[in-house]
Amino acid sequence: MSESKLKELRSDINELNELLNLAKRKKVQDILSLEIRKLETEWINLKENETSSVTPMDVGPVPTTSASAPVQNKRYQIKINGYGWDQSEKYIKVFVTLKNVHNIPKAQVFCKLTERSMELHVDNLENKDYLLVINNLLEPINIEDSHWKQKTDMVVIFLAKARPNVSWSHMIAIEKKFEDQRNNRFKPDESDKKDPQDSIMDMMRKMYETGDDEMKRMISKAMYESQHKKKTDVVDL
């Protein structure tokens, strides 16, 4: 269900971005931008809920009821969603910021790699375990030549390209797919004779019907100003 909702939200966001590129009036652009931000926020929250990042994990034996038994601390696993990346001729470099990661033993920082995926594990960093998973890499990697390093407040993973000198346009294949679909949708369709402004007005009517009071107020004001501008243009002529 959540996967279907995510796809629907992403489709709405993409279509709103198309209309935003067609819009000419600033008020209309502001309304579309506001709706895009709302949907982006909803998409991010739904995505985070789908991949719930915090699950308790007991460390050591289960505490007994004895008053003299020490209280066992719980360690939590946290999924990392953000990272940076860059590339050279030989490597894809993934940058993961984690405060004080340089202070823990190297054995607690390790990667699990396949030709098309990577997992970064950081164990027991200030009583928390961290996990970064990147699946469906755009290109295959050479596992044997890949490695990672701990730096100050950061882990850098060097993923060796299976095909050196091939530049990656995206980190994962799904990102490239979305970008290609978005670019194709922006290409003009000669068979489509509908006025772009009509599409914008249709979308604004739908947003008015489903929006809150603030959204309805902004749309009403924008439509009024648009009609007033048309009347002024006629008089000037």
Side-chain angles (χ1 to χ4, degrees):
M1 181 66 181
S2 58
E3 183 68 22
S4 175
K5 179 66 173 177
L6 284 170
K7 290 181 179 179
E8 287 295 324
L9 283 173
R10 180 50 57 187
S11 295
D12 290 342
I13 292 168
N14 290 339
E15 187 165 338
L16 283 170
N17 276 310
E18 291 179 20
L19 294 174
L20 180 60
N21 280 276
L22 294 173
K24 296 179 180 179
R25 293 183 56 78
K26 186 179 186 303
K27 183 63 67 175
V28 175
Q29 293 173 350
D30 291 342
I31 293 171
L32 292 173
S33 296
L34 177 61
E35 187 66 14
I36 289 170
R37 287 197 297 272
K38 286 183 178 180
L39 293 182
E40 288 281 9
T41 300
E42 184 178 351
W43 187 90
I44 291 171
N45 290 337
L46 186 60
K47 188 70 174 177
E48 289 180 349
N49 290 336
E50 186 184 43
T51 56
S52 180
S53 60
V54 180
T55 55
M57 181 173 62
D58 291 333
V59 177
V62 177
T64 66
T65 57
S66 172
S68 61
V71 177
Q72 300 292 334
N73 292 327
K74 288 186 177 180
R75 214 160 73 215
Y76 295 88
Q77 185 184 82
I78 300 176
K79 284 191 176 181
I80 302 171
N81 295 317
Y83 61 89
W85 71 282
D86 196 359
Q87 63 183 308
S88 62
E89 292 182 354
K90 295 182 179 180
Y91 294 101
I92 294 294
K93 293 174 281 187
V94 182
F95 305 94
V96 181
T97 301
L98 285 173
K99 187 176 181 181
N100 296 325
V101 70
H102 55 285
N103 292 329
I104 65 175
K106 290 184 177 181
Q108 294 172 210
V109 179
F110 59 94
C111 286
K112 296 179 181 179
L113 306 175
T114 72
E115 285 190 350
R116 289 279 187 171
S117 70
M118 64 148 282
E119 292 184 7
L120 169 66
H121 294 257
V122 178
D123 291 345
N124 199 14
L125 173 58
E126 298 179 349
N127 205 38
K128 298 181 181 68
D129 293 341
Y130 292 86
L131 173 65
L132 170 65
V133 179
I134 305 178
N135 291 317
N136 198 21
L137 295 171
L138 183 66
E139 294 278 347
I141 62 173
N142 185 321
I143 300 172
E144 292 183 356
D145 292 340
S146 299
H147 57 280
W148 51 91
K149 293 181 179 179
Q150 288 170 251
K151 296 182 178 293
T152 303
D153 295 332
M154 180 181 290
V155 179
V156 183
I157 303 98
F158 295 81
L159 303 177
K161 295 179 178 179
R163 297 194 297 165
N165 300 320
V166 173
S167 179
W168 291 24
S169 60
H170 298 77
M171 186 67 180
I172 57 178
I174 192 66
E175 290 177 344
K176 185 177 188 303
K177 181 180 178 181
F178 282 143
E179 183 71 17
D180 290 344
Q181 289 177 344
R182 185 169 181 269
N183 291 337
N184 288 335
R185 293 178 70 179
F186 281 140
K187 291 180 180 179
D189 186 354
E190 295 182 358
S191 63
D192 186 2
K193 303 299 182 180
K194 188 174 181 180
D195 188 343
Q197 293 301 318
D198 291 340
S199 297
I200 295 174
M201 295 304 293
D202 289 342
M203 178 60 70
M204 290 180 65
R205 289 190 187 97
K206 292 178 182 178
M207 291 165 56
Y208 183 88
E209 293 173 357
T210 59
D212 54 22
D213 292 342
E214 179 64 17
M215 177 62 69
K216 289 180 179 179
R217 185 188 67 78
M218 292 178 64
I219 293 174
S220 297
K221 183 177 180 182
M223 295 180 71
Y224 170 79
E225 292 178 353
S226 177
Q227 293 297 324
H228 182 72
K229 179 66 166 55
K230 288 181 180 180
K231 292 179 181 179
T232 303
D233 291 343
V234 171
V235 173
D236 290 342
L237 289 174

